Amino acid sequence: MIFAALADPTRRAILARLTEGEATVGELAEPFDISLPAVSRHLKVLEAAGLISRTRSAQWRSSRLEAGPLREATAWMEDYRRFWDESFDRLDAHLKRTLARNEENHHD
Amino acid sequence: MIFAALADPTRRAILARLTEGEATVGELAEPFDISLPAVSRHLKVLEAAGLISRTRSAQWRSSRLEAGPLREATAWMEDYRRFWDESFDRLDAHLKRTLARNEENHHD
DNA sequence: AGTACATTTAACTTATTGGTTATTTAACTG
DNA sequence: CAGTTAAATAACCAATAAGTTAAATGTACT
């Protein structure tokens, strides 16, 4: 559920905005060129994923970032860390070989 | 793109399987109750996201885990770490309060 | 050359997603 | 209480995703 919530760029932008503090739906919608209901539904998705919580006060609903699911997501990715180090090593080796070959060829 | 690729549970299971080493499409498909073409397309999505690379040899295509994009994804999430600590603190405080209240009520 | 095998591509179906506008809900305000 | 404001919901539409079966591709085997 969390990855699906993060898959949309508008939702990621909303999360980024919320790092600066709570905001109302209207405020969150402002930078985007989409309708308010569209934003409202993005917020619903984020809330369902546990990435935001909302409080109502008068006619404003304030959204607040809840990063817990991100912690879980990184925990899941941790299992792959050893592989990305390895991938990097392989990439690194590859780049070095390529570079060396270039040096040989047109040794200017 | 990476988050969308990770959003599907079948694809995450495929990645998990690949931590045990390279595998052919048939081998990857085996644990799932879906058709081979379906698996083939999941692999295409993973490849497009840079999460696997593939080598052809005879009639088998072997898939290998490429964890680089996961590194980038965690890097992106790093920006939110301060918030999840904070969320945790808040959750923790909440749990402690709740626990204390329970202790009071039915102090068994 | 002909067949078998592993995989991909094509064509199609169904469900989900992300957007729209119009309507409804809820709370404040004069 | 009527009107305004903020947001959510409803009803709808187009695009995408995930699955299917059937056909095509590419390589190996005899």
Side-chain angles (χ1 to χ4, degrees):
Chain A
M1 178 135 256
I2 172 148
F3 290 122
L6 295 177
D8 186 275
T10 300
R11 286 196 289 269
R12 288 197 302 274
I14 289 173
L15 291 180
R17 162 65 184 78
L18 288 176
T19 63
E20 294 165 23
E22 303 194 10
T24 66
V25 178
E27 288 166 351
L28 290 172
E30 197 273 321
F32 304 107
D33 196 24
I34 60 179
S35 68
L36 224 81
V39 172
S40 183
R41 289 207 315 190
H42 279 308
L43 292 174
K44 204 167 177 175
V45 172
L46 290 171
E47 188 176 29
L51 285 163
I52 64 170
S53 62
R54 291 196 276 180
T55 54
R56 61 285 293 144
S57 118
Q59 61 264 68
W60 295 273
R61 321 281 162 101
S62 201
S63 294
R64 160 203 274 274
L65 184 60
E66 297 291 345
L70 294 177
R71 178 169 25 96
E72 292 163 37
T74 52
W76 178 83
M77 292 189 184
E78 270 309 306
D79 297 346
Y80 294 87
R81 165 157 274 149
R82 54 196 169 111
F83 291 97
W84 77 58
D85 290 342
E86 173 189 307
S87 303
F88 178 75
D89 291 348
R90 209 163 51 250
L91 175 64
D92 189 47
H94 171 72
L95 287 175
K96 277 185 182 131
R97 272 198 308 279
T98 309
L99 191 60
R101 212 168 307 136
N102 282 351
E103 295 285 317
E104 272 175 31
N105 291 351
H106 42 59
H107 33 66
D108 43 11
Chain B
M1 178 134 257
I2 172 146
F3 290 122
L6 295 176
D8 186 276
T10 301
R11 286 196 289 266
R12 287 197 302 274
I14 288 173
L15 291 181
R17 161 66 185 80
L18 288 177
T19 63
E20 294 164 23
E22 302 194 12
T24 66
V25 178
E27 288 165 351
L28 290 172
E30 197 272 321
F32 304 106
D33 198 23
I34 60 179
S35 68
L36 224 79
V39 173
S40 183
R41 289 208 311 188
H42 279 308
L43 293 174
K44 205 168 175 174
V45 172
L46 290 171
E47 189 176 28
L51 284 162
I52 64 170
S53 61
R54 292 197 276 181
T55 53
R56 62 282 295 143
S57 117
Q59 60 264 69
W60 293 273
R61 321 280 163 104
S62 202
S63 294
R64 160 203 274 276
L65 183 60
E66 298 291 345
L70 294 177
R71 178 169 24 97
E72 292 164 36
T74 52
W76 178 83
M77 292 189 184
E78 270 309 306
D79 296 346
Y80 294 88
R81 164 156 275 148
R82 54 197 169 112
F83 292 96
W84 76 60
D85 290 341
E86 171 189 309
S87 303
F88 177 75
D89 291 347
R90 209 163 52 248
L91 175 65
D92 189 47
H94 170 73
L95 286 175
K96 275 183 183 133
R97 273 197 307 278
T98 310
L99 192 60
R101 212 168 306 137
N102 282 352
E103 295 285 316
E104 273 175 29
N105 292 352
H106 43 57
H107 33 67
D108 43 11

